[in-house]
Amino acid sequence: MIKLYRFGRPFATEAVVEALAPQPAETLPYFSVQNDGCGFSCELGKETAVYGLGEAIRGMNKRGWIYKSNCADDPSHTEGKHSLYGAHNFLLIAREKPFGVFFDYPGELIFDIGYTEMNTLQVSTKEANLDVYIIDGDGLEDIVRQFRRLIGRSYIAPKWAFGYGQSRWSYYSEDEVREVVRQHRENHIPLDMVYLDIDYMERYKDFTVNKKTFPQFQEFVQEMRQQNIHLVPIIDAGVKIEKDYSVYEEGVQNGYFCKKADGSPFVGAVWPGKSHFPDFLNQKVREWFGKKYAFLLRQGIDGFWNDMNEPAVFYSEDGLKNTFSELKKLEGQNLDMDKVNHFRGLVNDLSNNPEDYKSFYHNCDGKMVRHDKVHNLYGYNMTRAAGEVFEKLEPDKRILMFSRSSYIGMHRFGGIWTGDNCSWWRHLLLEIQMMPSLNMCGFLYAGADIGGFGDDTTADLLLRWTAFGIFTPLMRNHSALGTRKQEAYRFPEAMPALKKLIGIRYALLPYLYSEYMKAALRGNLYFRPLAFVYPQDKQAAEVEDQLMLGDELMLVPVYTQNASGRTVYLPEDMKLVQMRSVSDFTVETMEKGYHYVPAALDEVVFFIRSDRLIPLSYGGECVSQVDFNHLRLLGNVQTAATYQYYNDDGSSKDYENPAHFAEITMSADSRVSAKGDMCLQLESAL
Amino acid sequence: MIKLYRFGRPFATEAVVEALAPQPAETLPYFSVQNDGCGFSCELGKETAVYGLGEAIRGMNKRGWIYKSNCADDPSHTEGKHSLYGAHNFLLIAREKPFGVFFDYPGELIFDIGYTEMNTLQVSTKEANLDVYIIDGDGLEDIVRQFRRLIGRSYIAPKWAFGYGQSRWSYYSEDEVREVVRQHRENHIPLDMVYLDIDYMERYKDFTVNKKTFPQFQEFVQEMRQQNIHLVPIIDAGVKIEKDYSVYEEGVQNGYFCKKADGSPFVGAVWPGKSHFPDFLNQKVREWFGKKYAFLLRQGIDGFWNDMNEPAVFYSEDGLKNTFSELKKLEGQNLDMDKVNHFRGLVNDLSNNPEDYKSFYHNCDGKMVRHDKVHNLYGYNMTRAAGEVFEKLEPDKRILMFSRSSYIGMHRFGGIWTGDNCSWWRHLLLEIQMMPSLNMCGFLYAGADIGGFGDDTTADLLLRWTAFGIFTPLMRNHSALGTRKQEAYRFPEAMPALKKLIGIRYALLPYLYSEYMKAALRGNLYFRPLAFVYPQDKQAAEVEDQLMLGDELMLVPVYTQNASGRTVYLPEDMKLVQMRSVSDFTVETMEKGYHYVPAALDEVVFFIRSDRLIPLSYGGECVSQVDFNHLRLLGNVQTAATYQYYNDDGSSKDYENPAHFAEITMSADSRVSAKGDMCLQLESAL
C-alpha cells in the first residue's frame, strides 16, 4: 500500500509513473515533521537496519552516517564523503513491521541516519516542496516490489550488453581498438564490447568523431561488428563553445542551453574548455539533443554511456575570472596557514562549485527554475533525452545506454556504472555492498569498473574483482589515464585465470540474463542482502559481504588481498560450488553456520540453495556464440527443483511474451525436464 | 646471524648501533643484484608472505603492492598511495627458512613486492650507496630479535604516558583545556594527558607560548599537574622567519638552517608562512635545537610531539614565485582538459615538491649533502636532537616524545603516532594491521589517532576504535580542525560506554606496561601477527584482522560499522573474555576453529591463551591512581600458568634492575603466588 503526502508545491520530477491522490500532509505516518515540511524525523529502534539510497558509500545498512543527495563528480569515494554521482532518495526501514519511504525532491536532500543521534533518522530539505511516498507492505521485498511498480519498469539492455566489455581512458585510434580486440580474440578471452572514452571525439565535441584517429568510423564500426564487437562511445553533457560547430550553433540559436539570470547562456568548462550545458529539463531540448545520437546510430553504433552529467563543471567563466583576480592579491604576501588554505581553495573549489549551480536556470514549461533546486535531475534527463528519442527512432530495438549521474526515474531509460572508483580492495567491497541498494531503487543494469578506474590495479585485485564482476549485469573493465594498463592480456601471470573467469560469465549467461529479465519484469531484486531472504536470522542480517542472486545463489566474493579464501555465513544448508571453468568445477554440501571457504585466485566460489537449480550454457567468446537453448543444469536437489527460465532474442521488446518463459525441473536423481514453448536441450551438469 | 653487505659508500645513517665488518658485496645471498647495486631482486614462493616496512599502507603481509620509502606529509592514506610519514626499510621474508633484510639507505627506496611480477620482490634505490643487512635466524621472531639488537633498544616512555590522552587541533586557550579536563574528571573518564596542537604557540613559532591565550603558562602547567594531567605540546620542524625571534636569529647567525646551493638559507612555508629548516643532520644544530626544548621543560612540561618533520613544505619561496608567474600566462586562455590540469597542478604540486627537496643541503661534518639524498633522516634527527639533549638535561627522568616522521634508528629516541589518519573504519583496520609491522622495526610506543583525525567520526566508530586503542601503548583521541568534536563527553549516548572502555585500559595497565617493558628490554614484539605465533597453521597465516599481544592475548577488534560482533579464527583452544568494565566480565572457553563472537559497542572482547594469565589492576582515573602492586589475575589455566611481571617507578631509567621482575603463578584451582622482590597483593579475578 503506497500513500503520497504532498508538501508545498513539488517540482514534477517524473520519477514515478503512477498518479496517486495526495493524502493530507499532516497525516504523514512514522515521521514527525519540522520546519514546515523541511525536516522529517523518525525514531529508529536500536537494531533497526536502514536500507536503500542506491548509489552511496558505506555498507548495505546505511545507519551511522550522513548522506547527501547531491549528484557530484568527486572521484575520491572514501568513507568520509556524503555524495556520489546519483540521488536515490528511497529508504527501507527494516523494523519488525517495515516500511519504505521515497522523498521525491530534486534538490539537495540530507539523510542523517543515526549520525547526530544514534537512534534517530533525520531527513532535511532546503525547501518544503516535495512528495513523500510511504509504502507499507508484507516484508522488505514486497515493499520494494510496490515501489518499483510505482516508479516503472527498469531499463532492459540488449542481450549482447551482458557480455564482457573492455574500456580505457582512452583507446586513441582505430588501430588501438583493433589491438585490444585482437588480443582478446587471439587469447580467447571472451569480449562483446569495446568502449570509446572521450578521445574518439574531435576535441571533445559531442557527436563528432576524430577524423585523424578514426578516419573511417562507419566502416570501422562494421569491421568490429563482424568480429562480434560493439563499440560503445561516450557522450558528455557539456557542449563545446566553438563557432560553426553545429551542436553549439543550433543550441545557441534556439536557446537550448541553460541560461544565467541575464539571459546569456551559462559558460562552464569541461574537457573542451568553455562549454554550454543543454537544458535537459526542457522537453524540446531533450528531443533536439536525443536526435543527435542518430549521428552515431546511423554509423552502426548501438550503445552509449552518458558522462559528466551531474553536470561536472571544472570552472565557470565567472568563477575563474574571480579566482585570477583573487590570486593576484596574494602575490608577494607571506602565505601562512590561513592564506595558503585560501590560495589552494581558490583553485580547488572552482570545480563543481555550489555557487555556480545557483547561477543558471532551466526553462521548464516557460518557468525559469534555478539549477540548484533541480540539480539532481540533470543526468536523469540527459539520459531520458536519448531514451525517448530511441523509442521513436528504434521502436523495436534495444539500445545500450547507461549514465554516470542519475535520479530515480532514469532507471527506466538506462543503467548506471558506479563512476570513477579506484583500484582499491575497499572499492570491490563497496561495489558488493552497493549493488542491492541500486536494485532497490530500480537500477538493475549496473556495475562498477572492474579492476578499478583510478590508481594502479594489481593482478590479484583484477582477478578477485573479475570473479565478482561476472555476476553483475554490466561487466566492464575500465581504467584511467595515467594508471597501469589493465586489460586482461596485460597480466601474463593472471591471464589464463582471467580468461577462465570471464569464460564462466558466458557459461552463466542463461541464468544471469533470465534473472535480470525477471527482476525487470516483476520488479524484483536481482541482488539481495541476506537480510531480505532470511529476515528472522539475526546473523544473516549483519552479513554485508555476501549477496543473494536471484532465488538460487549466494555469492561470497573474496575482497581482501593475499587471502586464499574467506569465512562465510550460511543461513541454511547449501551446496558450495568451486568453479574453475565452464567444465571444471567441484561441489560440496555445507551446513548452516560459519565456515572457511578456500577460493584460489583462478576460481569462482558461490553457493546454491537447497532445491534450486541454475541453467548454464556451454560458453562462448561473445554473447552471439552462446547457445541459450542448450543448457546444463547445476542443481542442489534434495527433493525437486524448479526454475523459471526466461529467454528471448535479446534485441526486440516483446518482453512479456509467454513463449519467453519455460519451467525447468530437476529431480533428486538428476532427471531434467522443461515445460513451455522453448525448444530446450537440457542435461545435468554434474 | 646478521651479515652486512656494503655497496658503494653509504651515508652514515646511524640507524644501527652494532658495527659489523662488511662482507664482500658480491656474496650477498638471496638477491640478485642489478644496476651496479641499485637493484635487488628476489624470487618469492607463491605463498611466501612478506612482513615489515613499519608504517605503510595495506595489510600485514605486504605482497601485491609498490611501497616507496619517501617520508611524506600526505593526509590521504588510501590504498593507492605508496608512502606515509616514515621510512622503515626492514623486510621479513617468511619462506620455509625465513630471513630478514634491512636496506640502510636514507634516500628514496622502492619495494616492488609482487606488484610488477607476482612472485618477484624488486628493491631499487637511486644510488648504489647503501648497507644491506641480511639476518638469518630460527624463525620470524628470532630474526626480529636479532634485528632489534642491531638497531638498539626501543624508546621507553614514562609510565604516565600509558594513560589516556585527549587532543584536538586545537584547544585554543587555558580555559578550553580546563574545560576538557573538567569534563573528563567530572564524568569520571580517566585521563592523563592533554595535547596542545599548533595554536598554543605565538604565531606558530617553536618554543614560544601565546601570551594572550595561555597567559600564565608555567602556573597553568602546574595547575594541570595537580589534577594529574600532563600537557604535551607540539613542536614543528620549520622555524618562522621573523626578525628578533631568537630561534630564527640564532639559527641564521650560526648558519644552522639548511642552505641552498648559493649558501642562503632555504625558504619554505609551513604554518607560520615563510620558514627556515634546522639542519638536524648536523650534530651542532641538533644540540642547539635540542636545548630549546628546555624553554618548555623549565615550565614543567615533560612530554612533546614532533610534527611536520618529513619535512612538510607547503611551498618553497622559489616554487611559489614560479607558480604565480605561470598562472599569469593562463589568464584569459580557454583552459581545456590539459590546461586545467596544468593550472591545478601549479597550485597542488607546490606542496612537498620533489624539486624543492633537491634544492637545499645539509652540512654533514663539513660536507654538503643534498637533502633528497638523505630526506628520510630528517624527522629521525629532529627527534634525536631532543632525545640526545634530554639525556643530558634529565639523565634519570623519562620524557615523553613521539614524532610523525621517522627512520629506523629514531625508535631509540621516541615513538610515533601514525599521522593524519581519517575517521574511517578502514583506518581502524589499517592501524590493527600496522602495529605489528611497526614493532618489527623497533617502534613500540605507537598508536593511531583514536576516532580518526580527518573527516567526521561517529559514535560507534569512536567506541570500536577505543576498544582497540586501549591495547596500544600510545592511546590518544585526536581530531582535526573543522571536523566533528570527538572528546568522549561529546557523545551523550556513547559516553557511559566510552568511560567504561577507557577504564578497562587502566585495569589492563599492569599487564600492558609490563609487556611494553619486556618487549623493549628483550627486543620482542608487543603485537604479533598470528603467523608469528602459529607458523605451521596455514589458516592463522592469513589472518590480518586479529593480533597477538604478548604471549597471553589474542585481540579480535570489531572494525565494521553496524556489526554486533565478528567472526574470529582460533588457532588453538582459548578462553573468550567479554569485558564491560574493570569488574564486569564474562569468560567462556572456545575451541580451535572459526567462531562468531558477539561484541556489543560497550564491550571489549579478547582471548586468553591456554595456561596463561594476565595481571589486572583495580583501575583508576589516572596512571598515578593505579596500584601496580595490588593485582587481580585473569587466567586461562588448565594445568598452571606463569607470568613474568615487570614493574618499576615508571619515571627513572634503572630498567634492568632485577627487582623490577616478579614471577606470578596461578594453578588450575586458582591459587596464586609470586616470586621476586616486589611486594605484590594477588588474587584471582574470577
Side-chain angles (χ1 to χ4, degrees):
Chain A
M1 168 69 109
I2 308 184
K3 286 188 177 173
L4 161 62
Y5 302 84
R6 179 156 291 166
F7 291 81
R9 304 177 63 181
F11 184 89
T13 66
E14 298 176 68
V16 309
V17 295
E18 291 184 355
L20 302 183
Q23 308 293 314
E26 62 275 16
T27 64
L28 179 75
Y30 302 120
F31 291 89
S32 65
V33 181
Q34 296 111 19
N35 288 332
D36 298 329
C38 286
F40 301 86
S41 180
C42 170
E43 287 309 298
L44 298 173
K46 215 176 133 194
E47 294 181 1
T48 301
V50 176
Y51 298 99
L53 291 189
E55 191 184 52
I57 53 150
R58 301 214 170 198
M60 297 179 196
N61 181 353
K62 309 311 288 184
R63 282 190 75 153
W65 194 237
I66 287 190
Y67 304 85
K68 204 182 272 185
S69 283
N70 179 37
C71 299
D73 171 27
D74 178 346
S76 174
H77 309 170
T78 59
E79 288 176 42
K81 295 299 171 72
H82 302 283
S83 307
L84 292 174
Y85 309 88
H88 306 148
N89 304 332
F90 173 65
L91 289 181
L92 262 173
I93 316 297
R95 313 180 319 153
E96 190 159 1
K97 176 135 186 53
F99 70 93
V101 56
F102 174 47
F103 293 88
D104 191 8
Y105 178 80
E108 186 180 297
L109 192 58
I110 291 170
F111 295 92
D112 178 337
I113 310 180
Y115 169 81
T116 302
E117 290 176 40
M118 291 177 88
N119 299 319
T120 306
L121 163 65
Q122 175 74 40
V123 181
S124 38
T125 64
K126 295 207 166 163
E127 295 182 355
N129 298 311
L130 73 159
D131 281 341
V132 181
Y133 294 85
I134 297 286
I135 308 158
D136 290 304
D138 189 17
L140 297 170
E141 295 201 66
D142 176 54
I143 293 168
V144 169
R145 220 172 281 121
Q146 290 187 57
F147 177 60
R148 296 270 298 283
R149 196 180 316 127
L150 176 71
I151 60 175
R153 196 182 65 210
S154 297
Y155 165 77
I156 292 173
K159 200 189 263 182
W160 56 261
F162 291 81
Y164 176 63
Q166 182 60 55
S167 188
R168 172 80 178 174
W169 176 24
S170 277
Y171 299 126
Y172 288 93
S173 66
E174 292 183 358
D175 277 349
E176 244 188 87
V177 174
R178 278 189 190 101
E179 173 64 10
V180 171
V181 173
R182 187 185 69 79
Q183 287 279 7
H184 282 81
R185 290 286 178 251
E186 287 188 4
N187 288 300
H188 303 289
I189 307 163
L191 188 70
D192 271 275
M193 288 158 279
V194 175
Y195 289 81
L196 300 179
D197 210 318
I198 55 174
D199 297 283
Y200 81 90
M201 291 181 268
E202 189 203 332
R203 277 169 292 144
Y204 315 123
K205 287 184 291 185
D206 280 336
F207 314 117
T208 69
V209 172
N210 187 318
K211 292 196 183 70
K212 277 190 195 149
T213 50
F214 292 84
Q216 306 278 330
F217 194 66
Q218 186 160 359
E219 290 75 6
F220 182 60
V221 174
Q222 290 316 313
E223 177 191 327
M224 290 293 109
R225 289 289 294 110
Q226 276 152 23
Q227 298 188 55
N228 291 304
I229 298 295
H230 296 258
L231 295 179
V232 185
I234 200 168
I235 305 291
D236 289 325
V239 171
K240 185 178 197 299
I241 297 177
E242 185 179 281
K243 204 170 163 334
D244 297 333
Y245 164 40
S246 65
V247 184
Y248 161 73
E249 295 284 4
E250 286 172 29
V252 170
Q253 269 162 35
N254 296 295
Y256 284 164
F257 296 124
C258 293
K259 294 189 181 65
K260 298 204 289 185
D262 66 7
S264 66
F266 169 75
V267 180
V270 272
W271 308 119
K274 290 183 195 169
S275 303
H276 291 322
F277 294 83
D279 182 1
F280 293 119
L281 272 67
N282 182 304
Q283 165 61 28
K284 264 194 201 159
V285 178
R286 282 202 298 275
E287 213 177 308
W288 165 70
F289 196 85
K291 282 184 182 160
K292 294 290 169 202
Y293 287 78
F295 167 78
L296 291 156
L297 291 172
R298 278 196 306 266
Q299 300 186 66
I301 294 294
D302 48 8
F304 303 89
W305 44 316
N306 282 344
D307 196 15
M308 304 291 280
N309 50 0
E310 294 72 26
V313 177
F314 295 163
Y315 58 85
S316 68
E317 192 171 38
D318 297 338
L320 188 67
K321 215 173 276 178
N322 178 58
T323 280
F324 273 112
S325 115
E326 289 293 314
L327 283 172
K328 273 176 206 157
K329 294 181 194 160
L330 290 174
E331 193 172 356
Q333 290 196 43
N334 180 29
L335 304 187
D336 62 4
M337 180 180 96
D338 291 339
K339 284 180 185 160
V340 99
N341 284 340
H342 176 56
F343 174 69
R344 291 171 182 162
L346 281 172
V347 173
N348 293 320
D349 298 346
L350 273 173
S351 293
N352 312 319
N353 191 305
E355 290 308 307
D356 288 333
Y357 292 135
K358 287 182 193 161
S359 76
F360 62 90
Y361 295 79
H362 298 276
N363 179 345
C364 302
D365 300 322
K367 204 181 141 201
M368 299 308 279
V369 179
R370 208 172 74 186
H371 175 77
D372 64 306
K373 296 174 191 286
V374 291
H375 174 71
N376 293 334
L377 300 180
Y378 194 78
Y380 161 20
N381 281 285
M382 177 188 181
T383 296
R384 183 182 171 191
E388 286 174 343
V389 171
F390 293 166
E391 276 300 323
K392 291 178 195 164
L393 295 179
E394 298 281 5
D396 201 39
K397 184 182 169 189
R398 306 182 207 170
I399 308 286
L400 171 60
M401 168 56 80
F402 58 92
S403 171
R404 192 168 71 184
S405 189
S406 61
Y407 184 83
I408 289 174
M410 200 208 83
H411 69 285
R412 300 191 299 269
F413 302 98
I416 63 169
W417 93 103
T418 60
D420 297 345
N421 66 358
C422 283
S423 297
W424 301 349
W425 293 85
R426 181 64 186 89
H427 277 181
L428 167 52
L429 177 58
L430 182 64
E431 182 187 13
I432 296 164
Q433 294 174 328
M434 210 189 288
M435 284 298 125
S437 310
L438 284 172
N439 289 181
M440 292 171 209
C441 299
F443 294 93
L444 295 181
Y445 190 77
D449 287 343
I450 291 170
F453 178 73
D455 284 335
D456 293 320
T457 201
T458 60
D460 55 353
L461 177 59
L462 184 57
L463 282 161
R464 293 304 196 190
W465 211 321
T466 302
F468 174 66
I470 64 172
F471 296 103
T472 60
L474 166 53
M475 183 189 181
R476 178 175 80 147
N477 174 330
H478 184 38
S479 59
L481 186 68
T483 64
R484 186 181 201 176
K485 295 194 171 167
Q486 76 184 30
E487 295 83 8
Y489 57 85
R490 307 279 182 186
F491 300 87
E493 297 160 300
M495 191 182 55
L498 286 166
K499 174 167 43 178
K500 286 197 287 179
L501 294 175
I502 299 165
I504 293 171
R505 160 69 162 211
Y506 286 75
L508 286 165
L509 270 181
Y511 175 65
L512 300 179
Y513 182 71
S514 174
E515 284 307 305
Y516 185 91
M517 293 304 294
K518 290 188 295 180
L521 299 177
R522 297 172 182 171
N524 285 341
L525 294 166
Y526 176 92
F527 289 122
R528 284 178 294 179
L530 272 60
F532 281 50
V533 183
Y534 307 96
Q536 301 312 318
D537 182 332
K538 281 197 152 198
Q539 300 299 99
E542 287 198 4
V543 174
E544 292 251 345
D545 58 2
Q546 305 174 197
L547 285 177
M548 306 307 294
L549 196 172
D551 269 330
E552 289 73 23
L553 301 189
M554 183 173 77
L555 309 184
V556 293
V558 176
Y559 57 90
T560 53
Q561 192 162 27
N562 296 317
S564 62
R566 55 163 290 179
T567 54
V568 300
Y569 175 67
L570 269 62
E572 57 176 326
D573 295 357
M574 293 186 189
K575 197 181 258 183
L576 170 68
V577 182
Q578 292 170 295
M579 201 175 248
R580 285 163 296 278
S581 80
V582 176
S583 51
D584 175 16
F585 52 84
T586 46
V587 297
E588 180 192 344
T589 300
M590 281 193 164
E591 285 182 0
K592 175 175 161 53
Y594 290 93
H595 298 269
Y596 176 87
V597 172
L601 283 173
D602 62 353
E603 274 178 343
V604 178
V605 294
F606 58 86
F607 288 87
I608 305 190
R609 295 173 71 189
S610 188
D611 281 332
R612 303 292 202 290
L613 71 88
I614 63 168
L616 300 175
S617 82
Y618 283 80
E621 290 186 19
C622 58
V623 172
S624 64
Q625 282 178 6
V626 174
D627 186 344
F628 282 71
N629 292 310
H630 191 174
L631 302 173
R632 295 176 312 142
L633 306 180
L634 186 57
N636 174 14
V637 186
Q638 309 304 312
T639 52
T642 299
Y643 179 71
Q644 189 163 49
Y645 181 54
Y646 180 98
N647 189 32
D648 62 14
D649 66 7
S651 72
S652 63
K653 298 181 179 173
D654 181 23
Y655 306 123
E656 301 278 6
N657 190 329
H660 297 158
F661 293 88
E663 196 174 280
I664 298 175
T665 310
M666 191 176 204
S667 65
D669 57 359
S670 293
R671 274 176 306 161
V672 297
S673 63
K675 270 191 255 179
D677 294 342
M678 269 183 250
C679 181
L680 298 176
Q681 261 184 284
L682 305 176
E683 54 198 303
S684 169
L686 289 171
Chain B
M1 168 68 110
I2 308 186
K3 287 188 176 172
L4 162 62
Y5 302 85
R6 180 156 292 169
F7 292 81
R9 304 178 62 183
F11 184 90
T13 66
E14 298 176 72
V16 310
V17 295
E18 290 183 356
L20 303 184
Q23 309 292 315
E26 61 275 17
T27 64
L28 178 76
Y30 301 121
F31 291 89
S32 65
V33 181
Q34 297 110 17
N35 288 332
D36 299 328
C38 286
F40 301 87
S41 180
C42 171
E43 287 309 298
L44 298 173
K46 214 176 136 196
E47 292 181 1
T48 301
V50 176
Y51 298 100
L53 292 190
E55 191 184 52
I57 53 150
R58 301 214 170 198
M60 297 178 194
N61 181 353
K62 310 311 288 185
R63 281 190 77 152
W65 194 235
I66 288 191
Y67 304 87
K68 204 182 270 185
S69 283
N70 179 38
C71 298
D73 171 27
D74 177 346
S76 175
H77 309 169
T78 59
E79 286 177 42
K81 295 300 171 72
H82 303 282
S83 308
L84 292 174
Y85 308 90
H88 306 147
N89 305 332
F90 174 65
L91 289 181
L92 262 172
I93 316 297
R95 314 181 318 154
E96 191 158 4
K97 176 137 184 51
F99 70 94
V101 56
F102 174 47
F103 293 87
D104 191 7
Y105 179 79
E108 187 180 297
L109 193 59
I110 291 171
F111 295 93
D112 178 338
I113 310 181
Y115 169 82
T116 302
E117 290 176 40
M118 290 178 88
N119 299 318
T120 305
L121 163 65
Q122 177 71 41
V123 182
S124 39
T125 63
K126 294 208 164 164
E127 294 182 357
N129 298 311
L130 72 161
D131 282 341
V132 181
Y133 295 86
I134 298 285
I135 308 158
D136 290 304
D138 190 17
L140 297 170
E141 295 201 68
D142 175 55
I143 293 168
V144 169
R145 221 173 280 120
Q146 291 186 58
F147 177 61
R148 297 270 299 281
R149 197 182 316 126
L150 176 72
I151 60 175
R153 195 182 65 212
S154 297
Y155 165 77
I156 292 173
K159 201 189 263 183
W160 56 261
F162 290 81
Y164 176 64
Q166 182 59 55
S167 188
R168 173 79 178 174
W169 177 21
S170 277
Y171 299 126
Y172 288 94
S173 67
E174 292 183 356
D175 277 348
E176 243 189 87
V177 174
R178 278 188 191 102
E179 173 63 11
V180 171
V181 173
R182 186 185 69 78
Q183 287 278 7
H184 282 81
R185 290 287 178 250
E186 286 188 2
N187 288 301
H188 303 289
I189 307 163
L191 188 70
D192 270 277
M193 288 158 279
V194 175
Y195 289 81
L196 300 178
D197 210 319
I198 54 174
D199 296 282
Y200 80 91
M201 293 183 267
E202 189 203 332
R203 277 168 292 144
Y204 315 123
K205 288 185 292 186
D206 279 337
F207 313 118
T208 68
V209 171
N210 186 319
K211 291 197 183 69
K212 277 189 195 152
T213 49
F214 292 84
Q216 306 278 331
F217 194 66
Q218 186 159 359
E219 290 74 7
F220 182 60
V221 173
Q222 290 316 312
E223 177 191 326
M224 290 293 109
R225 289 289 296 109
Q226 276 151 22
Q227 297 189 54
N228 291 304
I229 298 295
H230 295 259
L231 293 181
V232 184
I234 200 167
I235 305 290
D236 289 324
V239 170
K240 186 178 197 299
I241 298 179
E242 184 179 282
K243 201 168 171 330
D244 298 332
Y245 164 41
S246 65
V247 184
Y248 161 74
E249 294 284 4
E250 287 171 32
V252 169
Q253 270 161 38
N254 296 295
Y256 284 163
F257 296 123
C258 293
K259 293 189 182 65
K260 296 203 290 184
D262 66 7
S264 66
F266 169 75
V267 180
V270 271
W271 307 120
K274 289 184 195 170
S275 303
H276 291 323
F277 293 84
D279 182 2
F280 293 120
L281 272 67
N282 182 302
Q283 166 60 28
K284 263 194 200 157
V285 178
R286 280 202 298 275
E287 212 176 309
W288 166 69
F289 195 85
K291 282 183 182 160
K292 293 291 169 203
Y293 287 78
F295 166 78
L296 291 156
L297 290 172
R298 277 197 306 268
Q299 299 185 69
I301 293 294
D302 47 9
F304 303 89
W305 45 315
N306 282 345
D307 196 13
M308 304 291 281
N309 51 0
E310 295 71 25
V313 178
F314 295 162
Y315 58 85
S316 68
E317 192 171 39
D318 297 338
L320 188 66
K321 216 173 276 177
N322 178 58
T323 280
F324 274 112
S325 113
E326 289 293 314
L327 283 172
K328 272 175 210 160
K329 293 182 196 161
L330 291 174
E331 195 174 356
Q333 290 196 43
N334 180 29
L335 305 187
D336 61 4
M337 182 180 96
D338 292 340
K339 285 181 185 159
V340 99
N341 284 339
H342 175 56
F343 173 70
R344 290 172 182 161
L346 280 172
V347 173
N348 294 320
D349 298 345
L350 274 173
S351 294
N352 312 318
N353 190 305
E355 291 308 307
D356 288 333
Y357 292 137
K358 288 181 193 161
S359 76
F360 63 90
Y361 294 79
H362 299 275
N363 180 344
C364 303
D365 300 323
K367 203 180 142 202
M368 299 308 278
V369 179
R370 207 173 73 189
H371 175 77
D372 63 306
K373 295 174 191 284
V374 292
H375 173 71
N376 293 333
L377 300 179
Y378 194 79
Y380 161 20
N381 280 285
M382 177 187 181
T383 297
R384 182 181 173 192
E388 286 172 344
V389 171
F390 293 165
E391 275 301 323
K392 291 178 194 162
L393 296 178
E394 298 280 6
D396 202 38
K397 184 182 168 189
R398 306 184 209 169
I399 307 285
L400 171 60
M401 169 58 80
F402 58 93
S403 171
R404 193 168 70 184
S405 189
S406 60
Y407 185 84
I408 288 172
M410 201 207 83
H411 70 285
R412 301 192 295 271
F413 302 98
I416 63 168
W417 91 103
T418 59
D420 297 344
N421 65 358
C422 284
S423 298
W424 301 347
W425 293 85
R426 182 65 187 87
H427 277 180
L428 167 52
L429 177 59
L430 182 64
E431 181 186 14
I432 295 164
Q433 294 174 327
M434 210 191 286
M435 284 297 125
S437 311
L438 284 171
N439 289 180
M440 293 172 207
C441 298
F443 294 92
L444 295 181
Y445 190 76
D449 287 342
I450 291 170
F453 177 72
D455 284 337
D456 294 319
T457 202
T458 59
D460 55 352
L461 178 59
L462 183 58
L463 282 162
R464 293 303 194 191
W465 210 321
T466 302
F468 174 66
I470 64 172
F471 295 103
T472 59
L474 166 53
M475 184 189 182
R476 177 175 81 146
N477 174 329
H478 184 38
S479 59
L481 186 67
T483 64
R484 186 181 200 175
K485 295 195 171 166
Q486 77 185 28
E487 295 83 6
Y489 57 85
R490 306 279 182 186
F491 300 86
E493 297 158 299
M495 190 178 59
L498 286 166
K499 173 167 45 178
K500 286 196 287 176
L501 294 176
I502 299 166
I504 293 171
R505 160 68 162 214
Y506 285 75
L508 286 166
L509 270 181
Y511 175 66
L512 301 179
Y513 182 70
S514 174
E515 284 307 305
Y516 184 93
M517 293 304 295
K518 290 189 296 181
L521 298 176
R522 296 171 183 172
N524 285 341
L525 294 167
Y526 177 92
F527 288 120
R528 285 179 292 180
L530 271 59
F532 282 50
V533 182
Y534 307 96
Q536 301 311 319
D537 182 334
K538 281 198 151 197
Q539 300 298 100
E542 287 198 5
V543 174
E544 292 251 345
D545 58 0
Q546 304 175 197
L547 286 176
M548 307 306 295
L549 195 171
D551 269 331
E552 287 74 22
L553 301 189
M554 184 172 76
L555 309 184
V556 292
V558 176
Y559 56 90
T560 52
Q561 192 162 26
N562 297 317
S564 62
R566 56 164 288 179
T567 53
V568 299
Y569 175 67
L570 270 63
E572 57 176 327
D573 295 358
M574 294 186 188
K575 198 181 255 183
L576 170 68
V577 181
Q578 292 170 293
M579 201 175 247
R580 284 164 295 277
S581 80
V582 176
S583 52
D584 176 15
F585 53 85
T586 46
V587 299
E588 180 192 345
T589 299
M590 280 191 165
E591 286 182 0
K592 174 175 161 57
Y594 291 93
H595 298 269
Y596 177 87
V597 171
L601 283 172
D602 62 352
E603 275 179 341
V604 178
V605 292
F606 57 86
F607 287 87
I608 304 191
R609 296 174 69 189
S610 189
D611 280 333
R612 303 291 201 289
L613 70 88
I614 63 168
L616 300 175
S617 81
Y618 284 81
E621 290 186 20
C622 58
V623 173
S624 64
Q625 281 178 6
V626 174
D627 186 344
F628 282 73
N629 292 311
H630 191 173
L631 302 174
R632 294 177 312 143
L633 306 180
L634 185 56
N636 174 13
V637 187
Q638 310 304 313
T639 53
T642 299
Y643 179 72
Q644 189 162 50
Y645 180 55
Y646 180 99
N647 188 32
D648 62 14
D649 68 5
S651 71
S652 64
K653 298 181 179 174
D654 180 23
Y655 306 124
E656 301 278 6
N657 190 329
H660 297 159
F661 293 89
E663 196 174 281
I664 297 175
T665 309
M666 192 177 205
S667 65
D669 58 357
S670 293
R671 275 175 307 161
V672 296
S673 64
K675 272 192 254 176
D677 293 343
M678 269 183 249
C679 180
L680 297 178
Q681 262 185 284
L682 305 176
E683 54 198 300
S684 168
L686 289 172

